[in-house]
Amino acid sequence: MGQKISGGIKSVDGRGESGGSPSYRPSAHRRQHPELRGPDFSKPPRLDLLLDMPCAGLETQHRHAWNPDDRSLNIFIKDEDKLTFHRHPVAQSTDCIRGKVGYTRGLHVWKIHWPSRQRGTHAVVGVATSEAPLHSVGYTALVGSDCESWGWDLGRNRLYHDSKNRAHSSLPSYPCFLEPEESFTLPDSLLVILDMDEGTLSFMVDGQYLGVAFRGLKGKKLYPIVSAVWGHCEISMKYINGLDPEPLPLMDLCRRAARLALGRERLQEIESLPLPQSLKNYLQYQ
């Protein structure tokens, strides 16, 4: 079930999430791709705003966590950690679990923590309707295998949607800027970005926006989902936050502009600004 993936990822966003150097640097001999400046690779402004907000509280995270009633029977949610599931070591089986909440509107971001040593040969992260299957005999990339789910294979750098009816060579690589046969090693955590207002699914790794993976998702009700094959793997999902589709209030936009002007490394200096305390509190989401 195991496989080794190696290589290096090219930088999409030259800044890490903290404003420092990115975790992955382009190989020196690689040419730069002009298409990286296209709309699919531009981090949406609303996403920047959402990620600048405080993370959702534990109660909200539990409300958006894995669904104990919508899973393969080879999976169980841990009693001591409701954000994490454990897969039984069942041979020749692929198993899925959906999240509790299906999204039809708004922008939603959640973090998947999946240790790389527990991924095996078929580790897929994505979204699905309530009709997508949750179990299959044998080892396979179940998420994205039919028209009811969309998934990113973390080991093969491929995007799957209705893949059982398509030739493997026609399945797109992701991130899209990878050259043929180029691969990279993912860290243990990644962000999943579902924008139901735009109808897109995207991903971020270590603060780098990897671009749009799927389009055409408007009008559906989609749930977080993963498919796993590794025995005893444990995968956590933490809901980061969401934004409604309505235009943002001017006060929120002004706060975002002020925090951007300060920069992440100087946010702690807000308390020293010559401003009323109520405004300082607002700038710090207090």
Side-chain angles (χ1 to χ4, degrees):
M1 289 186 294
Q3 70 176 22
K4 185 177 180 182
I5 306 295
S6 61
I9 188 172
K10 295 177 182 175
S11 174
V12 182
D13 179 355
R15 297 169 292 113
E17 193 168 11
S18 62
S21 299
S23 304
Y24 305 104
R25 297 183 180 277
S27 301
H29 66 281
R30 304 288 189 191
R31 63 183 177 86
Q32 293 300 310
H33 289 232
E35 64 267 23
L36 297 191
R37 292 189 286 269
D40 277 0
F41 294 98
S42 299
K43 189 191 298 183
R46 292 177 75 236
L47 175 59
D48 261 336
L49 180 63
L50 185 152
L51 295 176
D52 188 55
M53 297 164 54
C55 287
L58 190 58
E59 182 180 347
T60 301
Q61 291 174 24
H62 283 164
R63 194 163 61 245
H64 292 259
W66 300 120
N67 190 344
D69 300 318
D70 198 9
R71 60 182 171 84
S72 162
L73 296 180
N74 295 326
I75 282 173
F76 69 90
I77 294 172
K78 300 179 70 174
D79 289 334
E80 68 275 19
D81 181 4
K82 299 299 184 182
L83 303 181
T84 302
F85 77 79
H86 183 104
R87 179 185 177 273
H88 292 297
V90 180
Q92 293 300 317
S93 176
T94 301
D95 304 286
C96 299
I97 184 170
R98 268 184 284 261
K100 292 178 181 177
V101 179
Y103 306 108
T104 59
R105 65 198 294 269
L107 173 66
H108 304 273
V109 178
W110 58 92
K111 180 170 77 170
I112 296 292
H113 180 79
W114 191 342
S116 56
R117 67 183 182 278
Q118 298 181 11
R119 293 176 187 165
T121 54
H122 297 82
V124 190
V125 174
V127 294
T129 71
S130 59
E131 303 300 317
L134 298 176
H135 174 261
S136 177
V137 175
Y139 301 133
T140 185
L142 189 52
V143 172
S145 63
D146 64 9
C147 61
E148 300 294 338
S149 59
W150 296 256
W152 178 22
D153 187 322
L154 304 183
R156 293 174 176 79
N157 310 322
R158 294 280 184 177
L159 296 177
Y160 299 148
H161 175 60
D162 201 23
S163 62
K164 66 183 180 183
N165 294 316
R166 300 175 58 185
H168 181 77
S169 59
S170 71
L171 300 173
S173 297
Y174 186 84
C176 305
F177 52 81
L178 289 180
E179 295 179 359
E181 306 307 318
E182 184 180 9
S183 60
F184 63 93
T185 302
L186 277 167
D188 289 344
S189 297
L190 59 107
L191 293 186
V192 185
I193 303 149
L194 180 63
D195 190 338
M196 293 306 297
D197 304 320
E198 294 294 329
T200 62
L201 180 67
S202 310
F203 299 90
M204 282 184 69
V205 172
D206 277 357
Q208 294 193 18
Y209 182 69
L210 300 183
V212 173
F214 295 100
R215 293 189 176 276
L217 305 181
K218 264 187 183 180
K220 305 179 188 300
K221 186 173 186 178
L222 298 177
Y223 300 78
I225 194 172
V226 298
S227 66
V229 299
W230 189 265
H232 293 303
C233 70
E234 294 191 345
I235 304 170
S236 303
M237 177 171 67
K238 176 183 177 182
Y239 185 73
I240 301 299
N241 227 319
L243 282 176
D244 290 331
E246 288 79 14
L248 293 166
L250 182 58
M251 283 180 62
D252 287 355
L253 296 174
C254 291
R255 173 170 56 190
R256 173 60 179 157
R259 289 172 65 91
L260 276 175
L262 280 168
R264 284 182 178 271
E265 68 282 356
R266 296 175 58 203
L267 290 179
Q268 69 273 12
E269 299 177 18
I270 288 177
E271 279 297 331
S272 64
L273 296 176
L275 298 171
Q277 189 60 46
S278 59
L279 186 51
K280 294 179 188 178
N281 292 344
Y282 185 75
L283 288 175
Q284 298 176 87
Y285 288 95
Q286 296 175 355

